[in-house]
mmCIF file of all heavy atoms in Angstrom:
data_model
loop_
_atom_site.group_PDB
_atom_site.id
_atom_site.type_symbol
_atom_site.label_atom_id
_atom_site.label_comp_id
_atom_site.label_asym_id
_atom_site.label_seq_id
_atom_site.Cartn_x
_atom_site.Cartn_y
_atom_site.Cartn_z
ATOM 1 N N ALA J 1 223.428 156.740 231.307
ATOM 2 C CA ALA J 1 223.942 156.098 230.010
ATOM 3 C C ALA J 1 222.837 156.043 229.072
ATOM 4 O O ALA J 1 223.001 156.308 227.815
ATOM 5 C CB ALA J 1 224.590 154.789 230.361
ATOM 6 N N ALA J 2 221.582 155.643 229.439
ATOM 7 C CA ALA J 2 220.447 155.521 228.563
ATOM 8 C C ALA J 2 220.077 156.826 228.015
ATOM 9 O O ALA J 2 219.756 156.944 226.807
ATOM 10 C CB ALA J 2 219.306 154.891 229.261
ATOM 11 N N GLU J 3 220.129 157.880 228.822
ATOM 12 C CA GLU J 3 219.788 159.188 228.360
ATOM 13 C C GLU J 3 220.803 159.735 227.332
ATOM 14 O O GLU J 3 220.424 160.322 226.342
ATOM 15 C CB GLU J 3 219.778 160.144 229.584
ATOM 16 C CG GLU J 3 218.910 161.347 229.402
ATOM 17 C CD GLU J 3 218.627 162.048 230.680
ATOM 18 O OE1 GLU J 3 218.129 161.324 231.618
ATOM 19 O OE2 GLU J 3 218.855 163.228 230.682
ATOM 20 N N ILE J 4 222.136 159.405 227.541
ATOM 21 C CA ILE J 4 223.128 159.772 226.597
ATOM 22 C C ILE J 4 222.940 159.081 225.268
ATOM 23 O O ILE J 4 222.961 159.652 224.199
ATOM 24 C CB ILE J 4 224.531 159.541 227.231
ATOM 25 C CG1 ILE J 4 224.855 160.578 228.306
ATOM 26 C CG2 ILE J 4 225.621 159.624 226.041
ATOM 27 C CD1 ILE J 4 226.056 160.232 229.116
ATOM 28 N N GLU J 5 222.603 157.815 225.340
ATOM 29 C CA GLU J 5 222.345 157.043 224.102
ATOM 30 C C GLU J 5 221.159 157.531 223.362
ATOM 31 O O GLU J 5 221.096 157.686 222.135
ATOM 32 C CB GLU J 5 222.188 155.597 224.418
ATOM 33 C CG GLU J 5 221.824 154.689 223.255
ATOM 34 C CD GLU J 5 222.834 154.684 222.124
ATOM 35 O OE1 GLU J 5 224.056 155.132 222.355
ATOM 36 O OE2 GLU J 5 222.533 154.292 220.966
ATOM 37 N N ARG J 6 220.099 157.938 224.093
ATOM 38 C CA ARG J 6 218.879 158.421 223.488
ATOM 39 C C ARG J 6 219.199 159.745 222.751
ATOM 40 O O ARG J 6 218.784 159.941 221.624
ATOM 41 C CB ARG J 6 217.728 158.651 224.479
ATOM 42 C CG ARG J 6 216.454 159.140 223.892
ATOM 43 C CD ARG J 6 215.314 159.142 224.836
ATOM 44 N NE ARG J 6 215.541 160.070 226.006
ATOM 45 C CZ ARG J 6 215.274 161.332 226.034
ATOM 46 N NH1 ARG J 6 214.624 161.866 224.979
ATOM 47 N NH2 ARG J 6 215.512 162.041 227.102
ATOM 48 N N GLY J 7 220.010 160.611 223.333
ATOM 49 C CA GLY J 7 220.378 161.794 222.710
ATOM 50 C C GLY J 7 221.265 161.568 221.451
ATOM 51 O O GLY J 7 221.070 162.229 220.415
ATOM 52 N N ALA J 8 222.106 160.575 221.545
ATOM 53 C CA ALA J 8 222.984 160.238 220.368
ATOM 54 C C ALA J 8 222.099 159.708 219.226
ATOM 55 O O ALA J 8 222.303 160.072 218.084
ATOM 56 C CB ALA J 8 224.030 159.187 220.755
ATOM 57 N N ILE J 9 221.093 158.916 219.505
ATOM 58 C CA ILE J 9 220.163 158.378 218.490
ATOM 59 C C ILE J 9 219.404 159.539 217.843
ATOM 60 O O ILE J 9 219.276 159.629 216.562
ATOM 61 C CB ILE J 9 219.201 157.361 219.079
ATOM 62 C CG1 ILE J 9 219.932 156.103 219.454
ATOM 63 C CG2 ILE J 9 218.061 157.103 218.099
ATOM 64 C CD1 ILE J 9 219.141 155.117 220.315
ATOM 65 N N GLU J 10 218.931 160.483 218.708
ATOM 66 C CA GLU J 10 218.173 161.624 218.149
ATOM 67 C C GLU J 10 219.089 162.464 217.196
ATOM 68 O O GLU J 10 218.655 162.911 216.097
ATOM 69 C CB GLU J 10 217.650 162.469 219.261
ATOM 70 C CG GLU J 10 216.450 161.822 220.032
ATOM 71 C CD GLU J 10 216.116 162.624 221.260
ATOM 72 O OE1 GLU J 10 216.834 163.648 221.627
ATOM 73 O OE2 GLU J 10 215.069 162.228 221.877
ATOM 74 N N GLU J 11 220.371 162.603 217.622
ATOM 75 C CA GLU J 11 221.316 163.449 216.847
ATOM 76 C C GLU J 11 221.603 162.724 215.492
ATOM 77 O O GLU J 11 221.601 163.387 214.473
ATOM 78 C CB GLU J 11 222.596 163.623 217.579
ATOM 79 C CG GLU J 11 223.546 164.566 216.959
ATOM 80 C CD GLU J 11 224.836 164.825 217.744
ATOM 81 O OE1 GLU J 11 224.812 164.396 218.941
ATOM 82 O OE2 GLU J 11 225.792 165.431 217.226
ATOM 83 N N ARG J 12 221.773 161.442 215.524
ATOM 84 C CA ARG J 12 222.091 160.734 214.332
ATOM 85 C C ARG J 12 220.944 160.756 213.358
ATOM 86 O O ARG J 12 221.067 160.912 212.154
ATOM 87 C CB ARG J 12 222.468 159.242 214.650
ATOM 88 C CG ARG J 12 223.896 159.070 215.186
ATOM 89 C CD ARG J 12 224.315 157.652 215.247
ATOM 90 N NE ARG J 12 223.490 156.775 215.997
ATOM 91 C CZ ARG J 12 223.603 156.521 217.286
ATOM 92 N NH1 ARG J 12 224.644 157.077 217.993
ATOM 93 N NH2 ARG J 12 222.806 155.697 217.904
ATOM 94 N N THR J 13 219.704 160.619 213.905
ATOM 95 C CA THR J 13 218.503 160.698 213.100
ATOM 96 C C THR J 13 218.358 162.064 212.450
ATOM 97 O O THR J 13 218.080 162.113 211.309
ATOM 98 C CB THR J 13 217.272 160.333 213.956
ATOM 99 O OG1 THR J 13 217.433 159.009 214.523
ATOM 100 C CG2 THR J 13 215.992 160.400 213.079
ATOM 101 N N ARG J 14 218.465 163.092 213.217
ATOM 102 C CA ARG J 14 218.402 164.456 212.722
ATOM 103 C C ARG J 14 219.463 164.713 211.626
ATOM 104 O O ARG J 14 219.106 165.261 210.562
ATOM 105 C CB ARG J 14 218.540 165.430 213.851
ATOM 106 C CG ARG J 14 218.308 166.840 213.477
ATOM 107 C CD ARG J 14 218.367 167.843 214.683
ATOM 108 N NE ARG J 14 219.638 167.718 215.450
ATOM 109 C CZ ARG J 14 219.716 167.161 216.654
ATOM 110 N NH1 ARG J 14 218.666 166.742 217.285
ATOM 111 N NH2 ARG J 14 220.952 167.073 217.218
ATOM 112 N N ASP J 15 220.681 164.273 211.873
ATOM 113 C CA ASP J 15 221.703 164.484 210.883
ATOM 114 C C ASP J 15 221.393 163.687 209.603
ATOM 115 O O ASP J 15 221.695 164.213 208.480
ATOM 116 C CB ASP J 15 223.097 163.990 211.448
ATOM 117 C CG ASP J 15 223.596 164.973 212.543
ATOM 118 O OD1 ASP J 15 223.087 166.076 212.682
ATOM 119 O OD2 ASP J 15 224.576 164.566 213.219
ATOM 120 N N GLY J 16 220.898 162.539 209.690
ATOM 121 C CA GLY J 16 220.483 161.718 208.536
ATOM 122 C C GLY J 16 219.461 162.384 207.691
ATOM 123 O O GLY J 16 219.504 162.365 206.471
ATOM 124 N N LEU J 17 218.423 162.917 208.417
ATOM 125 C CA LEU J 17 217.331 163.637 207.674
ATOM 126 C C LEU J 17 217.891 164.890 206.981
ATOM 127 O O LEU J 17 217.529 165.106 205.837
ATOM 128 C CB LEU J 17 216.268 163.947 208.687
ATOM 129 C CG LEU J 17 215.415 162.830 209.218
ATOM 130 C CD1 LEU J 17 214.471 163.328 210.288
ATOM 131 C CD2 LEU J 17 214.614 162.210 208.095
ATOM 132 N N HIS J 18 218.743 165.644 207.665
ATOM 133 C CA HIS J 18 219.300 166.870 207.064
ATOM 134 C C HIS J 18 220.162 166.459 205.819
ATOM 135 O O HIS J 18 220.077 167.135 204.814
ATOM 136 C CB HIS J 18 220.123 167.638 208.035
ATOM 137 C CG HIS J 18 219.284 168.333 209.036
ATOM 138 N ND1 HIS J 18 219.828 168.732 210.261
ATOM 139 C CD2 HIS J 18 217.947 168.639 209.077
ATOM 140 C CE1 HIS J 18 218.849 169.326 211.005
ATOM 141 N NE2 HIS J 18 217.760 169.243 210.315
ATOM 142 N N ARG J 19 220.930 165.353 205.933
ATOM 143 C CA ARG J 19 221.740 164.953 204.754
ATOM 144 C C ARG J 19 220.798 164.561 203.637
ATOM 145 O O ARG J 19 221.142 164.917 202.467
ATOM 146 C CB ARG J 19 222.673 163.787 205.166
ATOM 147 C CG ARG J 19 223.579 163.373 204.024
ATOM 148 C CD ARG J 19 224.546 162.280 204.495
ATOM 149 N NE ARG J 19 223.758 161.036 204.994
ATOM 150 C CZ ARG J 19 223.689 160.688 206.280
ATOM 151 N NH1 ARG J 19 224.270 161.435 207.213
ATOM 152 N NH2 ARG J 19 223.017 159.632 206.570
ATOM 153 N N ALA J 20 219.789 163.843 203.894
ATOM 154 C CA ALA J 20 218.816 163.413 202.794
ATOM 155 C C ALA J 20 218.241 164.634 202.138
ATOM 156 O O ALA J 20 218.181 164.661 200.929
ATOM 157 C CB ALA J 20 217.736 162.514 203.401
ATOM 158 N N LEU J 21 217.827 165.668 202.928
ATOM 159 C CA LEU J 21 217.233 166.826 202.392
ATOM 160 C C LEU J 21 218.310 167.641 201.511
ATOM 161 O O LEU J 21 217.940 168.105 200.431
ATOM 162 C CB LEU J 21 216.654 167.763 203.419
ATOM 163 C CG LEU J 21 215.451 167.179 204.176
ATOM 164 C CD1 LEU J 21 215.113 167.984 205.430
ATOM 165 C CD2 LEU J 21 214.289 167.161 203.190
ATOM 166 N N ARG J 22 219.490 167.784 201.999
ATOM 167 C CA ARG J 22 220.642 168.416 201.229
ATOM 168 C C ARG J 22 220.848 167.706 199.931
ATOM 169 O O ARG J 22 221.133 168.296 198.979
ATOM 170 C CB ARG J 22 221.845 168.484 202.114
ATOM 171 C CG ARG J 22 221.908 169.582 203.115
ATOM 172 C CD ARG J 22 223.317 169.832 203.690
ATOM 173 N NE ARG J 22 223.948 168.648 204.116
ATOM 174 C CZ ARG J 22 223.833 168.086 205.387
ATOM 175 N NH1 ARG J 22 223.078 168.697 206.236
ATOM 176 N NH2 ARG J 22 224.524 166.985 205.713
ATOM 177 N N ASP J 23 220.723 166.345 200.025
ATOM 178 C CA ASP J 23 220.958 165.558 198.775
ATOM 179 C C ASP J 23 219.761 165.573 197.823
ATOM 180 O O ASP J 23 219.745 164.839 196.812
ATOM 181 C CB ASP J 23 221.318 164.072 199.125
ATOM 182 C CG ASP J 23 222.681 164.037 199.831
ATOM 183 O OD1 ASP J 23 223.455 165.004 199.749
ATOM 184 O OD2 ASP J 23 223.000 162.904 200.395
ATOM 185 N N GLY J 24 218.722 166.287 198.186
ATOM 186 C CA GLY J 24 217.551 166.326 197.337
ATOM 187 C C GLY J 24 216.596 165.170 197.441
ATOM 188 O O GLY J 24 215.680 164.983 196.629
ATOM 189 N N ARG J 25 216.806 164.381 198.529
ATOM 190 C CA ARG J 25 215.870 163.207 198.724
ATOM 191 C C ARG J 25 214.790 163.597 199.630
ATOM 192 O O ARG J 25 214.910 164.477 200.507
ATOM 193 C CB ARG J 25 216.609 162.006 199.277
ATOM 194 C CG ARG J 25 217.610 161.434 198.236
ATOM 195 C CD ARG J 25 218.336 160.237 198.801
ATOM 196 N NE ARG J 25 219.404 160.760 199.662
ATOM 197 C CZ ARG J 25 219.660 160.291 200.902
ATOM 198 N NH1 ARG J 25 218.968 159.298 201.388
ATOM 199 N NH2 ARG J 25 220.623 160.841 201.627
ATOM 200 N N GLN J 26 213.561 162.977 199.489
ATOM 201 C CA GLN J 26 212.449 163.256 200.272
ATOM 202 C C GLN J 26 212.374 162.126 201.392
ATOM 203 O O GLN J 26 211.895 161.069 201.079
ATOM 204 C CB GLN J 26 211.205 163.223 199.423
ATOM 205 C CG GLN J 26 209.830 163.285 200.267
ATOM 206 C CD GLN J 26 209.815 164.560 201.148
ATOM 207 O OE1 GLN J 26 210.145 165.614 200.677
ATOM 208 N NE2 GLN J 26 209.459 164.410 202.433
ATOM 209 N N PRO J 27 212.779 162.384 202.595
ATOM 210 C CA PRO J 27 212.711 161.395 203.629
ATOM 211 C C PRO J 27 211.338 161.285 204.248
ATOM 212 O O PRO J 27 210.535 162.238 204.078
ATOM 213 C CB PRO J 27 213.702 161.928 204.671
ATOM 214 C CG PRO J 27 213.726 163.416 204.508
ATOM 215 C CD PRO J 27 213.401 163.568 203.060
ATOM 216 N N GLY J 28 211.019 160.222 204.875
ATOM 217 C CA GLY J 28 209.754 160.098 205.537
ATOM 218 C C GLY J 28 208.644 159.458 204.643
ATOM 219 O O GLY J 28 208.853 159.026 203.543
ATOM 220 N N VAL J 29 207.444 159.617 205.137
ATOM 221 C CA VAL J 29 206.232 159.127 204.494
ATOM 222 C C VAL J 29 205.780 160.077 203.416
ATOM 223 O O VAL J 29 205.684 161.264 203.650
ATOM 224 C CB VAL J 29 205.149 158.834 205.534
ATOM 225 C CG1 VAL J 29 203.901 158.347 204.900
ATOM 226 C CG2 VAL J 29 205.571 157.866 206.605
ATOM 227 N N VAL J 30 205.423 159.529 202.265
ATOM 228 C CA VAL J 30 204.936 160.351 201.167
ATOM 229 C C VAL J 30 203.314 160.407 201.373
ATOM 230 O O VAL J 30 202.775 159.369 201.533
ATOM 231 C CB VAL J 30 205.216 159.665 199.806
ATOM 232 C CG1 VAL J 30 204.626 160.514 198.655
ATOM 233 C CG2 VAL J 30 206.705 159.562 199.606
ATOM 234 N N PRO J 31 202.766 161.585 201.363
ATOM 235 C CA PRO J 31 201.401 161.735 201.623
ATOM 236 C C PRO J 31 200.546 161.008 200.543
ATOM 237 O O PRO J 31 200.988 161.006 199.371
ATOM 238 C CB PRO J 31 201.110 163.257 201.573
ATOM 239 C CG PRO J 31 202.444 163.890 201.735
ATOM 240 C CD PRO J 31 203.455 162.871 201.243
ATOM 241 N N PHE J 32 199.390 160.499 200.970
ATOM 242 C CA PHE J 32 198.493 159.874 199.961
ATOM 243 C C PHE J 32 198.071 160.937 198.958
ATOM 244 O O PHE J 32 197.784 162.042 199.299
ATOM 245 C CB PHE J 32 197.262 159.354 200.724
ATOM 246 C CG PHE J 32 196.351 158.534 199.895
ATOM 247 C CD1 PHE J 32 196.645 157.275 199.505
ATOM 248 C CD2 PHE J 32 195.111 159.147 199.364
ATOM 249 C CE1 PHE J 32 195.736 156.508 198.702
ATOM 250 C CE2 PHE J 32 194.253 158.430 198.619
ATOM 251 C CZ PHE J 32 194.591 157.100 198.222
ATOM 252 N N GLY J 33 198.053 160.511 197.739
ATOM 253 C CA GLY J 33 197.746 161.474 196.633
ATOM 254 C C GLY J 33 198.960 161.914 195.864
ATOM 255 O O GLY J 33 198.858 162.647 194.864
ATOM 256 N N TYR J 34 200.211 161.552 196.380
ATOM 257 C CA TYR J 34 201.403 161.992 195.777
ATOM 258 C C TYR J 34 202.303 160.794 195.681
ATOM 259 O O TYR J 34 202.256 159.813 196.390
ATOM 260 C CB TYR J 34 202.116 163.027 196.662
ATOM 261 C CG TYR J 34 201.409 164.333 196.760
ATOM 262 C CD1 TYR J 34 200.484 164.553 197.789
ATOM 263 C CD2 TYR J 34 201.669 165.341 195.865
ATOM 264 C CE1 TYR J 34 199.861 165.752 197.883
ATOM 265 C CE2 TYR J 34 200.945 166.552 195.930
ATOM 266 C CZ TYR J 34 200.051 166.767 196.970
ATOM 267 O OH TYR J 34 199.420 167.953 197.057
ATOM 268 N N SER J 35 203.318 160.919 194.750
ATOM 269 C CA SER J 35 204.457 160.022 194.712
ATOM 270 C C SER J 35 205.647 160.919 194.621
ATOM 271 O O SER J 35 205.543 162.129 194.440
ATOM 272 C CB SER J 35 204.342 159.064 193.511
ATOM 273 O OG SER J 35 204.547 159.819 192.267
ATOM 274 N N VAL J 36 206.834 160.283 194.825
ATOM 275 C CA VAL J 36 208.060 161.053 194.758
ATOM 276 C C VAL J 36 208.858 160.516 193.554
ATOM 277 O O VAL J 36 208.984 159.345 193.356
ATOM 278 C CB VAL J 36 208.949 160.907 196.088
ATOM 279 C CG1 VAL J 36 210.264 161.547 195.868
ATOM 280 C CG2 VAL J 36 208.134 161.517 197.144
ATOM 281 N N GLU J 37 209.263 161.462 192.711
ATOM 282 C CA GLU J 37 210.048 161.120 191.533
ATOM 283 C C GLU J 37 211.290 161.945 191.502
ATOM 284 O O GLU J 37 211.299 163.151 191.870
ATOM 285 C CB GLU J 37 209.267 161.242 190.291
ATOM 286 C CG GLU J 37 208.085 160.391 190.176
ATOM 287 C CD GLU J 37 207.303 160.573 188.878
ATOM 288 O OE1 GLU J 37 207.711 161.328 187.966
ATOM 289 O OE2 GLU J 37 206.212 159.942 188.751
ATOM 290 N N ARG J 38 212.385 161.387 191.094
ATOM 291 C CA ARG J 38 213.622 162.090 190.949
ATOM 292 C C ARG J 38 213.622 162.913 189.616
ATOM 293 O O ARG J 38 213.361 162.319 188.559
ATOM 294 C CB ARG J 38 214.888 161.139 190.969
ATOM 295 C CG ARG J 38 216.130 161.874 190.968
ATOM 296 C CD ARG J 38 217.250 161.154 191.733
ATOM 297 N NE ARG J 38 216.944 160.822 193.079
ATOM 298 C CZ ARG J 38 217.459 161.442 194.180
ATOM 299 N NH1 ARG J 38 218.250 162.500 193.985
ATOM 300 N NH2 ARG J 38 217.187 161.059 195.323
#
């Protein structure tokens, strides 16, 4: 059950990151020396 839940969390995280990228958003940490602007 724990293994199935871990897989589901990984899948939801991956799907969320892909959705953010498709929507033109920059997910994650912004490297030092840069900012993110729309």
Side-chain angles (χ1 to χ4, degrees):
E3 206 164 306
I4 289 168
E5 176 61 17
R6 185 172 59 89
I9 289 168
E10 288 172 355
E11 185 177 353
R12 287 190 301 267
T13 301
R14 186 177 53 249
D15 290 348
L17 289 172
H18 287 160
R19 184 178 56 256
L21 290 170
R22 279 192 310 274
D23 292 346
R25 290 180 284 132
Q26 174 57 46
V29 176
V30 177
F32 185 76
Y34 294 91
S35 68
V36 174
E37 294 180 8
R38 186 148 304 255

